[in-house]
Amino acid sequence: MQSPAPLILASQMRALTGSSRGLSRAYTQGNLVRVRAGVYYSKPAWLALKAWERYAATVAAVAASDPAAGFCYLTALRVWRLPTPGVPDHIHIVTQSPHKAGRIASTTQAARNPKTGLTGLESVRGYGIFRHHWETDIVQARGYAVTTLVQTVMDSVVRLELPEAVAVADTVLGSRRQEGEGLTRMDLQQASASLASAAKRRRVLEVLALADEAAESVGESRSRALIHILGFPAPVLQRPFHDSEGFIGRTDFFWPEYGVIGEFDGDAKYLDDELLGDRSTREAILAEKKREDRLRALGYKVVRWDWKAVTDPEVLRRKLEGAGLRRQNPRRVD
């Protein structure tokens, strides 16, 4: 996780010029945003950032203003490049003192325009600090001090909702992780055994029972967890299909006893240049249609869903029941 543009540090300005007054003037004139004490950012650039980019820049600002800060929980998930449920409200750090634990409001601010009384940040989200009093080891990852990978996963899995926790487990267990940034089931089982809370130990084991390294996206992971919660039978993942023309492809989900194929359609499939390769979006959509036609010609039903369905269980339930699947032991979905 890197800030998309360089932070402007008062300490560096003083080292170069002997004074940081120029930054204070630029802030007063409305050209800079003060992210943390002594850490600034170009105001036009700050307003142009996406929410995740502002979060990353705020994390970098916290690290610059407090080199001793150790990041944990959702912030550590981002540093380790693991999925999180949206942009967190806070920057999560570890404190050694129970008296310092708790939330602190965002310090990101800009000078008010003397004519309008506005700062320009009224509609822009800022991120406060959440200090957690946890016993943990801190390591270096991508230039940040963070909780270890296994600790980060443990801290998150026991606190996140089941679909989000399964997405974290799927990703960290997946074979596409870089060396040193993946874990095994044994790693997680051993770590869970040391948890003091029996409820947390059960939670980790529940997530591991659902985790599957074959999942290829966060949307697939969340879908599979919701399929379990809704009480539908467990699908086969990444099943290959062939016809007389040859290989058709691997499907996200397959229920052989129902003859139903399920596909999660994330926007990236049609918009991400890396996933598109040499194809245009139009070509990718046409190729997907032909692939689906070939699957239907084999006699299978194909049901598709997108992000709306993995954030609204009722949407997914209606789609799967409409395809002919029947629920067995549904759980309550809050």
Side-chain angles (χ1 to χ4, degrees):
M1 181 171 62
Q2 296 179 342
S3 172
L7 298 168
I8 304 169
L9 305 181
S11 58
Q12 290 183 352
M13 181 66 73
R14 286 192 295 270
L16 289 172
T17 67
S19 173
S20 61
R21 292 177 182 174
L23 295 180
S24 297
R25 286 196 297 272
Y27 171 81
T28 302
Q29 293 166 359
N31 298 321
L32 295 178
V33 170
R34 183 186 293 127
V35 187
R36 298 282 290 173
V39 184
Y40 298 86
Y41 208 94
S42 162
K43 186 175 179 180
W46 186 263
L47 295 176
L49 295 178
K50 297 177 181 178
W52 268 123
E53 293 172 328
R54 279 193 295 274
Y55 187 83
T58 307
V59 172
V62 172
S65 62
D66 182 9
F71 299 104
C72 65
Y73 189 31
L74 300 179
T75 306
L77 277 182
R78 292 301 300 174
V79 175
W80 287 113
R81 295 180 180 172
L82 292 169
T84 57
V87 185
D89 293 327
H90 296 82
I91 310 298
H92 296 268
I93 63 175
V94 175
T95 178
Q96 299 300 316
S97 171
H99 304 295
K100 293 183 179 180
R103 293 178 175 85
I104 301 174
S106 171
T107 60
T108 302
Q109 53 189 289
R112 293 189 178 278
N113 184 307
K115 295 181 179 179
T116 65
L118 301 176
T119 66
L121 303 185
E122 283 75 15
S123 61
V124 175
R125 186 175 176 185
Y127 307 100
I129 301 290
F130 197 139
R131 293 196 181 107
H132 302 267
H133 178 55
W134 290 341
E135 292 295 330
T136 186
D137 294 325
I138 298 295
V139 297
Q140 290 292 319
R142 297 190 173 85
Y144 294 105
V146 295
T147 49
T148 63
L149 179 58
V150 68
Q151 181 69 52
T152 299
V153 173
M154 286 294 106
D155 290 340
S156 302
V157 162
V158 300
R159 290 172 173 81
L160 295 174
E161 294 183 0
L162 188 62
E164 297 156 355
V166 170
V168 170
D170 282 358
T171 304
V172 81
L173 292 171
S175 60
R176 293 176 298 280
R177 297 288 289 175
Q178 296 180 8
E179 185 177 354
E181 296 194 358
L183 297 171
T184 66
R185 288 177 180 271
M186 183 62 70
D187 292 332
L188 296 179
Q189 288 169 352
Q190 291 177 343
S192 68
S194 64
L195 294 173
S197 166
K200 290 181 179 179
R201 293 195 296 271
R202 288 193 299 271
R203 179 62 162 187
V204 175
L205 295 179
E206 178 186 22
V207 170
L208 284 176
L210 287 173
D212 195 316
E213 297 89 326
E216 293 188 345
S217 73
V218 173
E220 290 179 28
S221 298
R222 291 178 61 96
S223 297
R224 197 175 69 258
L226 280 178
I227 288 167
H228 169 75
I229 292 171
L230 290 168
F232 291 106
V236 177
L237 304 188
Q238 306 303 325
R239 163 73 182 272
F241 285 87
H242 299 78
D243 62 9
S244 60
E245 298 178 30
F247 179 64
I248 300 175
R250 291 181 294 112
T251 59
D252 296 338
F253 307 99
F254 178 50
W255 289 269
E257 64 273 32
Y258 289 93
V260 172
I261 290 170
E263 296 278 66
F264 169 76
D265 272 339
D267 292 341
K269 182 186 295 186
Y270 306 111
L271 300 175
D272 189 297
D273 290 339
E274 185 175 339
L275 294 178
L276 285 171
D278 296 330
R279 300 182 302 176
S280 67
T281 296
R282 181 174 180 273
E283 289 171 333
I285 293 173
L286 287 174
E288 192 67 20
K289 181 182 183 303
K290 291 178 180 178
R291 174 178 177 272
E292 183 172 323
D293 288 343
R294 290 172 68 186
L295 291 170
R296 291 185 189 279
L298 293 175
Y300 297 113
K301 296 179 182 178
V302 180
V303 57
R304 314 184 77 93
W305 61 87
D306 57 17
W307 276 106
K308 180 176 176 55
V310 297
T311 54
D312 185 344
E314 278 300 294
V315 173
L316 184 58
R317 179 190 64 77
R318 289 195 296 269
K319 284 182 173 291
L320 295 181
E321 287 185 335
L325 296 185
R326 293 294 173 261
R327 297 201 288 172
Q328 300 166 341
N329 297 302
R331 295 168 51 172
R332 178 180 175 183
V333 180
D334 295 325

